Amino acid sequence: MTDASELLALALDIAKEAGDLARRRRSEGVAIAATKSAIADIVTEADREVEDLIRGRLAAERPGDGFLGEESGAERGTSGITWVVDPIDGTVNYAYGIPHYAVSIAAVEGEPDPQQWSALAGVVYAPAVDETFSAATGEGAWLEGRRLEVSEPSAAGALLATGFGYDPATHEGDLGRLARVMPLARDVRRAGAASLDLAYVAASRLDGYFERGLNPWDHAAGALLVEEAGGRVAGRPGERPSTLMTIAAASDLHQRISDVIYV
Ligand code: LIP
């Protein structure tokens, strides 16, 4: 039986080292290495270097584990544990010098598939503000020693966050969903890093978050944070989070967001 707090301790140590590297590279100047799914979907040299550091540390400390990373792809392990990694979530923020990006590391058990896996440990580390959000299954979600709990919105309405994909062809649909959700909101934030949007829901800095088009590494750690803070994370009605949809909030608000998105 794998000890979730042991995996969490390793993820915390590696996320800190990886975040320090990302912050250092940011101060030295960022080089765009390539574009991916669309011209707006960039990868920097630092994304790749930070992922190599994380993957190298994990391979050295836990050689039997699998890996699924945004930049270097997937490798099956033999231990039943897979590490799901976004080295710099919020890459466009990072490239523009907006200090809102994060290292996201999750350890999951079972099939390396978000529709099947069980998340055991998750860390979202924001190097620019030196904030570490962490959770292990059954042990709660934490920010710098403070136990986190999701919030239901006040009478003023919900403070929500959302995001838009890199493919312009999807924007009309995203804006249509936003228009349907707006009546629930006191206001909306578009901050540019899904892992931090989820961490902020866990920390009651946001009441809710929804986005279409996320990849497993965008939500693997953040979803565990929200669930361990007493919230709910799902996709389309009855489904787990996926590229089709990710909704995170306290239970009642979650249902209301889902109901207006899937009318
Ligand atoms: C980003 C997400 C963000 C989403 C972007 C992109 P990346 O991840 O964090 O929420 O709107 O389209 O997927 O590319 O910075 O790792």
Side-chain angles (χ1 to χ4, degrees):
M1 177 58 191
T2 309
D3 179 350
S5 40
E6 210 182 278
L7 297 171
L8 179 59
L10 180 58
L12 283 165
D13 186 59
I14 296 175
K16 184 76 175 68
E17 185 183 352
D20 291 349
L21 174 61
R23 190 179 46 238
R24 218 169 34 250
R25 291 291 178 260
R26 179 51 260 181
S27 64
E28 294 162 358
V30 170
I32 308 299
T35 60
K36 301 189 286 184
S37 64
I39 190 164
D41 184 5
I42 56 168
V43 56
T44 70
E45 296 291 355
D47 283 276
R48 292 176 173 170
E49 188 184 1
V50 171
E51 183 156 320
D52 287 349
L53 178 155
I54 296 170
R55 193 166 189 163
R57 285 275 323 261
L58 290 169
E61 314 242 0
R62 293 187 55 95
D65 291 356
F67 187 87
L68 172 60
E70 175 169 8
E71 309 310 343
S72 62
E75 183 185 344
R76 257 183 188 277
T78 54
S79 67
I81 299 293
T82 299
W83 295 89
V84 184
V85 171
D86 191 336
I88 301 179
D89 185 35
T91 297
V92 173
N93 286 350
Y94 183 78
Y96 275 80
I98 299 171
H100 188 77
Y101 58 90
V103 176
S104 178
I105 300 177
V108 303
E109 193 168 40
E111 274 304 300
D113 166 11
Q115 297 313 308
Q116 298 180 54
W117 68 36
S118 306
L120 297 179
V123 173
V124 173
Y125 174 52
V129 288
D130 196 24
E131 281 192 328
T132 305
F133 301 85
S134 63
T137 189
E139 297 170 23
W142 302 81
L143 169 60
E144 317 295 343
R146 177 169 69 87
R147 184 152 191 168
L148 303 178
E149 202 176 347
V150 295
S151 56
E152 287 283 4
S154 73
L159 185 60
L160 299 175
T162 192
F164 306 95
Y166 293 118
D167 176 2
T170 63
H171 292 169
E172 193 179 337
D174 292 338
L175 290 169
R177 267 181 292 280
L178 178 55
R180 293 201 298 282
V181 170
M182 206 58 204
L184 301 177
R186 70 183 301 157
D187 204 343
V188 172
R189 300 287 178 268
R190 194 316 185 226
S195 60
L196 285 172
D197 290 327
L198 291 161
Y200 283 21
V201 171
S204 293
R205 289 178 180 175
L206 291 166
D207 295 313
Y209 164 66
F210 64 99
E211 184 161 1
R212 182 210 50 76
L214 293 186
N215 291 295
W217 43 79
D218 293 318
H219 60 75
L224 182 64
L225 288 167
V226 173
E227 286 163 354
E228 285 295 321
R232 192 169 155 215
V233 185
R236 297 188 302 182
E239 296 179 9
R240 288 188 171 205
S242 71
T243 54
L244 298 171
M245 184 47 67
T246 299
I247 304 173
S251 173
D252 176 60
L253 176 60
H254 190 286
Q255 193 58 54
R256 290 194 287 138
I257 295 171
S258 187
D259 289 350
V260 292
I261 289 179
Y262 296 101
V263 280

